[in-house]
Structure formats: C-alpha cells, structure tokens
Amino acid sequence: MLFRSLLGGQAITATVLFSDIRGFTTLTENLGAAATVTLLNEYFTLMVDIIQANGGMLDKFIGDAIMAGFGVPVAHEDDEDRAVRTAISMIATLRDWNAKRTSEGKLPVNIGVGLNTDALIAGNIGSMKRMDFTMIGDGVNLASRLESACKQYGARILVSENTFRKLRGTYRSRLVDNVIVIGKTQPVAVHEILDYHNEETFPNLPEFLQSFRLGMDQYRGRRFKEAASTFADTLKLHADDKVSKMYIERCAHFVESPPPEDWDGSWTLSEK
C-alpha cells in the first residue's frame, strides 16, 4: 500500500470509474424537483458507500454522474480489481434497490459504468477562492466515453484493455469491440464485465459467451458470413443482446464492402 501526497499535484497511474444514470431527463420530468433531489441523495449514498468500501476515492458528482478513483491517494496492488468489484456491486445493489422502488410504484434507475486505468494528473485544481481535489487527463476522458458507450452496446460495465489486462481476478466477460474514440488514432480494446448477472437474470451465460467468442474469432478473421450465422445462434441464447445484433449488421456491411487488407478489426466510435 502506498499513500500519495498530491497536494501540489503530480502525474500518477490510477483507475478511473465513471458512472451515469440512463434516461435521467425522463426521470426528472416524472418526479419533479423535490423527488429528484431525494432520489439522487438515496442513489449517491448507496453508490458512494460501495466505492469507499472497496478503497476507492470519490472525486466528484457531475449532475447525476459519479467520478471516482482507485489508486489515489492510496495505491493498492489490486486497484483494478477493486474498481471492477465496485462496478459489479453497484449494478447488483441497484438491482435490489430497483426491486424495492418498483414495488412502491416508482420508476427504476439504470446506470452505465466505464473503467479505465491510465496516466493522469491528480491534485488541487481551481482558483484561490475555491480549489477541489480532482483527476484530469485523457485517462479520465476515456472512462467517461466508455460509460457513454454503454448505451451503444447495451452494456452496464465497460472496461478498457488498459484495466482488463491488469486484473488479477477472473470475471465473466467478453471482448465487445476494438474502438477508436474521438480525438484518438489508436484503437482501444473494450471488454464487458458480466459478473453482476445470475442464472435468473442471464440464463445460459457460459454457453452464450462461448458462442459469442466464436463469432468474434470469425469476424476478426474476415469470415463474415460464418460470423453472422454464429451471432444469430448467439441471439437464440439471449435474444436481447445488442452487441450480437450489431455484429450481424457489421458482417452484412463487410460482405457487401470488404474492409481493406490491413484492417485490424477496429471501429470508430462516433459518439463522445
């Protein structure tokens, strides 16, 4: 364990967690001002308790979003796993909270979580009248963009390759894409963590993952017709999987317009 003194600010490597509520505008329209504040206070209390229980540091609230860091100001050997366990617990806790909310006739709350481990700058930033401890840099931006990408992939937890390759634990996961985010030229592999599921919420998950990985191998091997057929079989195991539907569309596109010879399987992520 290493405590980092960051009062003056310094460059460090840490894992950033960024989460946001899906469809928050619709929620606020239905709730009104007072009920919205009550909801956010209850939600933030649950989520921050989980972050702190796993050794994370709450950085800030940004509207209905939460930004947290793992490895700052205290670094652990397993900060990446702590961040992933936090995300899993956040989704599982939210599921229980939503069950209570719906039983009371209230709308459920759904979130996306993005995780990225990278070099960033941490320290007190602001003016002489007000300063806040925070983290800034491309590593923070990527975590935020992965959270936003949860909508595109129909995912709850997306993790960059930077985080995934440092994990010590074993998690039920899949490689969902190799993306180039806006403002970057090099692709980043993106993984989805599915450990918050149980047999009730996702039956046949092991078989589903095996089928999906076969489809990805075929897709990346430019065998697009075979891949489309495999992804169709994957949908038979989980009909709502947005990623499999996405790859069937991509395969159809590449059958008609094959990618260049130097194609590396990457896709440009068009949304921030």
Side-chain angles (χ1 to χ4, degrees):
M1 183 183 297
L2 171 65
F3 181 83
R4 292 162 163 162
S5 178
L6 303 171
L7 294 179
Q10 69 180 67
I12 63 170
T13 297
T15 300
V16 179
L17 179 152
F18 201 96
S19 69
D20 201 2
I21 296 177
R22 302 271 81 89
F24 184 67
T25 301
T26 302
L27 275 175
T28 58
E29 290 173 350
N30 284 275
L31 290 174
T36 296
V37 171
T38 298
L39 178 145
L40 283 175
N41 287 340
E42 292 178 5
Y43 165 73
F44 285 147
T45 297
L46 289 171
M47 299 299 107
V48 172
D49 284 349
I50 295 168
I51 292 168
Q52 293 178 343
N54 284 281
M57 179 203 73
L58 172 68
D59 185 298
K60 62 168 69 74
F61 301 123
I62 309 171
D64 59 299
I66 297 173
M67 179 174 155
F70 293 80
V72 52
V74 178
H76 307 86
E77 293 182 351
D78 61 343
D79 280 313
E80 294 78 18
D81 289 85
R82 288 170 181 261
V84 168
R85 291 196 299 267
T86 295
I88 293 169
S89 184
M90 289 170 73
I91 302 298
T93 298
L94 199 63
R95 184 167 56 218
D96 294 338
W97 188 49
N98 279 333
K100 179 176 180 293
R101 286 182 57 82
T102 53
S103 71
E104 297 171 349
K106 299 176 181 177
L107 291 173
V109 175
N110 295 307
I111 66 172
V113 183
L115 297 174
N116 180 46
T117 303
D118 211 337
L120 49 87
I121 297 171
N124 287 317
I125 297 174
S127 71
M128 294 302 294
K129 292 184 177 180
R130 176 171 175 175
M131 302 190 79
D132 289 318
F133 182 88
T134 191
M135 303 175 292
I136 60 174
D138 285 347
V140 176
N141 296 338
L142 181 55
S144 175
R145 289 178 181 178
L146 289 179
E147 182 281 318
S148 295
C150 285
K151 291 177 286 187
Q152 179 175 329
Y153 296 105
R156 288 287 180 266
I157 305 172
L158 291 179
V159 177
S160 73
E161 182 69 19
N162 304 334
T163 299
F164 191 81
R165 66 170 178 261
K166 294 183 178 181
L167 293 175
R168 299 184 175 206
T170 301
Y171 305 90
R172 290 175 294 178
S173 64
R174 60 173 171 170
L175 173 67
V176 297
D177 216 344
N178 202 36
V179 301
I180 300 174
V181 299
I182 293 175
K184 295 292 181 181
T185 58
Q186 295 301 313
V188 176
V190 179
H191 300 259
E192 181 183 11
I193 302 295
L194 294 160
D195 261 51
Y196 59 90
H197 280 296
N198 53 38
E199 184 61 30
E200 181 180 348
T201 61
F202 203 134
N204 307 311
L205 179 55
E207 294 84 357
F208 169 86
L209 288 176
Q210 183 177 7
S211 178
F212 181 83
R213 287 165 184 157
L214 173 60
M216 285 295 283
D217 287 342
Q218 293 167 336
Y219 173 81
R220 295 170 73 84
R222 305 173 68 99
R223 293 146 52 198
F224 299 117
K225 289 184 178 180
E226 292 178 53
S229 178
T230 300
F231 287 126
D233 290 339
T234 304
L235 284 173
K236 294 176 183 177
L237 294 168
H238 192 65
D240 295 330
D241 186 47
K242 193 171 182 178
V243 180
S244 294
K245 294 176 183 178
M246 177 189 74
Y247 275 108
I248 290 174
E249 293 178 359
R250 288 189 188 178
C251 287
H253 168 75
F254 283 136
V255 166
E256 294 297 324
S257 303
E261 290 299 320
D262 61 351
W263 178 71
D264 60 1
S266 62
W267 191 267
T268 299
L269 196 63
S270 58
E271 297 181 7
K272 288 188 177 181

